[in-house]
Amino acid sequence: IHKPTVAGVANVCVAANPRTALKLGHARGVAVLAALHNGMRVYDYTPRMVKQAVVGYGNADKQQVQQMVRVLLQLSASPSSDAADALAVAMCHANQTIIDGEII
């Protein structure tokens, strides 16, 4: 069984719909609270940082992120948009911890 010790989360970006932004903020808050409650360290990344880490361009669109996640992880098919976002945050965290010299 897996026992993660860290969690990476992305900041809520500005959404066109205020209700969507509020729902995303609530979901993010619950994820952070659950991670902290389970003794995990939480790392926060901006959408620009995540895109930069995966695509190499901070203004990349969702399709570019999906495609690069598929290529970098050698997946047979592109993951869903939400799965690609989650994997991209994990990849960003892995890149950041290597840069900072921290052991994952």
Side-chain angles (χ1 to χ4, degrees):
I1 193 162
H2 298 287
K3 184 76 172 147
T5 58
V6 299
V9 294
N11 287 338
V12 177
C13 59
V14 178
N17 183 334
R19 285 188 173 179
T20 300
L22 185 61
K23 288 177 184 178
L24 288 172
H26 287 167
R28 183 182 179 283
V30 169
V32 169
L33 181 63
L36 293 173
H37 181 73
N38 285 289
M40 297 170 70
R41 291 175 61 186
V42 178
Y43 294 87
D44 194 47
Y45 300 102
T46 65
R48 180 176 291 271
M49 290 172 70
V50 174
K51 293 172 184 179
Q52 183 73 35
V54 176
V55 180
Y57 175 62
N59 289 327
D61 63 35
K62 284 190 154 301
Q63 290 174 333
Q64 289 172 306
V65 172
Q66 275 181 291
Q67 177 65 11
M68 284 306 297
V69 166
R70 185 190 70 74
V71 169
L72 293 170
L73 297 179
Q74 299 178 350
L75 303 174
S76 60
S78 289
S80 70
S81 179
D82 290 337
D85 288 347
L87 290 167
V89 171
M91 294 166 72
C92 177
H93 177 69
N95 288 345
Q96 192 65 39
T97 55
I98 291 169
I99 290 170
D100 292 342
E102 181 180 331
I103 298 173
I104 299 173

